[in-house]
Amino acid sequence: MNITVNEETLQVPSDLETIEDFRTHFNLVEKKAMIEHNKVALRPDEYTQTALAEGDQIVVVRFVGGG
Amino acid sequence: MLKIGDRTFRSRLLLGTGTFPSVDVQREAVKASETEILTFAVAKMNMDDDDDDLVAELNSDSFSMLPNTAGAKTAEEAVRIAKLARASGLSDMVKVEVIGDDQTLLPDAVETYRATEMLLEEGFITLPYIADDPVLASKLEELGAHAVMPGAAPIGTGRGILNPLHLSYIVAQSQVPVIVDAGIGAPSHASLAMEMGADAVLLNRAISQADDPVKMAEAMKLAIQAGRLSYEAGRIPVKRFAKASSPQEGVPFYG
């Protein structure tokens, strides 16, 4: 399955069914990462209910230093 | 107490988290500043690297987080960034920052206004960063902004309050907190803002880029406290000619 992650097209295993699976695959579970799925920012309680599909656009961000 | 939306804070210093020489120094500076509000930016994660988690490093559970929308050039981009920040579950406050010029980093008034309107509709506690424009400040307050944050001078210039007259207009007219944001270089600048009646000061490089950030954090804390006390105490009016403090009659003459 091909998805776009931070504007880069990546091939991921087709058994990644939800955003929660995506987080596990990319070792994001322990990190304070925020995720946007097809331009919609997801709350943590939405990770397990949001299905991942071919062509999805994912943005993964985190907090960094800033003024 | 500083009141922003339904939150109250003892400290009137808001501190940025960028450009510190190290996390250890930063942690000490945050402690010395006694700030209760830290600003953060939102940036794309590098999926390959094991980046440090600044929020965890600073133990941000002890602070209110004020994420900014830095990097946004339009209202829509600002809203997108703000929603990602809120999705962390850590904060529903947002510093609305939409830059309109790459050289001066001055904010885009039109996009900032539009972003503030959209973010208020989304239920954010909204603190727009603006130039020292009293008319814009007034219109944002009418819109429902929870604070207005006029810049003292362009970001990172350390030049202090370039237009004290405009700042005094904003302070006089505002019912929401006025937080002087950007352009502060020295404690005297921060103190002046507070003496003039600003409710708080937001700064970053003035501390993070000082030779000794921890000592400067304490200096800024004291300057902001001193300025606030002065404002509450009510300073004497400026006079054209001298007024003696010592009695002019009954002066003893010696020799």
Side-chain angles (χ1 to χ4, degrees), chain B residues 149-202:
Chain B
M149 305 212 291
I155 295 170
T157 58
R159 300 175 75 95
I161 301 167
L162 294 184
N163 196 333
L165 186 64
H166 276 197
L167 180 59
S168 75
Y169 294 156
I170 295 172
V171 165
Q173 75 189 15
S174 298
Q175 302 301 310
V176 295
V178 176
I179 302 170
V180 173
D181 176 7
I184 298 293
S188 55
H189 304 152
S191 183
L192 178 60
M194 299 306 295
E195 286 170 42
M196 290 176 62
D199 296 282
V201 171
L202 195 169

Side-chain angles (χ1 to χ4, degrees), chain B residues 78-130:
Chain B
V79 170
R80 211 172 148 189
I81 295 168
K83 284 183 173 176
L84 272 166
R86 185 167 66 178
S88 68
L90 298 175
S91 180
D92 60 357
M93 295 202 291
V94 62
K95 168 178 163 174
V96 186
E97 178 174 343
V98 187
I99 298 303
D101 181 79
D102 288 339
Q103 191 169 32
T104 60
L105 298 181
L106 286 167
D108 183 323
V110 176
E111 294 301 311
T112 301
Y113 185 90
R114 287 182 59 234
T116 302
E117 190 168 34
M118 292 156 76
L119 289 164
L120 286 167
E121 279 172 17
E122 295 281 348
F124 283 86
I125 293 182
T126 306
L127 297 81
Y129 160 61
I130 56 173

Side-chain angles (χ1 to χ4, degrees), chain A residues 13-46:
Chain A
S14 53
D15 61 355
L16 301 188
E17 291 178 358
T18 66
I19 294 295
E20 186 61 26
D21 296 340
F22 168 88
R23 291 174 76 232
T24 307
H25 180 75
F26 284 99
N27 296 320
L28 296 175
V29 176
E30 296 301 316
K31 297 179 184 175
K32 282 212 172 66
M34 291 84 84
I35 298 176
E36 193 187 65
H37 175 247
N38 295 335
K39 301 201 171 175
V40 177
L42 299 178
R43 294 192 313 270
D45 63 349
E46 295 172 314

Side-chain angles (χ1 to χ4, degrees), chain A residues 5-7 22 26 28 31-36 39 41-44 59-67, chain B residues 16-18 39-45 49-55 65 68 80 83-84 87-88 95 204:
Chain A
V5 180
N6 289 352
E7 290 167 2
F22 168 88
F26 284 99
L28 296 175
K31 297 179 184 175
K32 282 212 172 66
M34 291 84 84
I35 298 176
E36 193 187 65
K39 301 201 171 175
L42 299 178
R43 294 192 313 270
V59 175
V60 184
V61 299
R62 64 194 179 103
F63 288 118
V64 297
Chain B
T17 55
T39 67
F40 287 88
V42 172
K44 279 182 187 155
M45 186 173 248
D49 285 354
D50 223 7
D51 300 325
D52 286 342
D53 181 352
L54 185 62
V55 173
M65 288 179 65
N68 67 33
R80 211 172 148 189
K83 284 183 173 176
L84 272 166
S88 68
K95 168 178 163 174
N204 188 333

Side-chain angles (χ1 to χ4, degrees), chain B residues 25-92:
Chain B
V25 170
Q26 184 166 8
R27 208 181 288 112
E28 287 303 306
V30 167
K31 195 173 158 195
S33 75
E34 293 181 15
T35 186
E36 293 169 289
I37 304 177
L38 294 175
T39 67
F40 287 88
V42 172
K44 279 182 187 155
M45 186 173 248
N46 185 340
M47 304 298 284
D48 305 322
D49 285 354
D50 223 7
D51 300 325
D52 286 342
D53 181 352
L54 185 62
V55 173
E57 292 277 0
L58 294 177
N59 184 22
S60 295
D61 291 349
S62 348
F63 304 95
S64 287
M65 288 179 65
L66 176 59
N68 67 33
T69 61
K73 296 275 177 76
T74 66
E76 285 75 15
E77 287 171 4
V79 170
R80 211 172 148 189
I81 295 168
K83 284 183 173 176
L84 272 166
R86 185 167 66 178
S88 68
L90 298 175
S91 180
D92 60 357

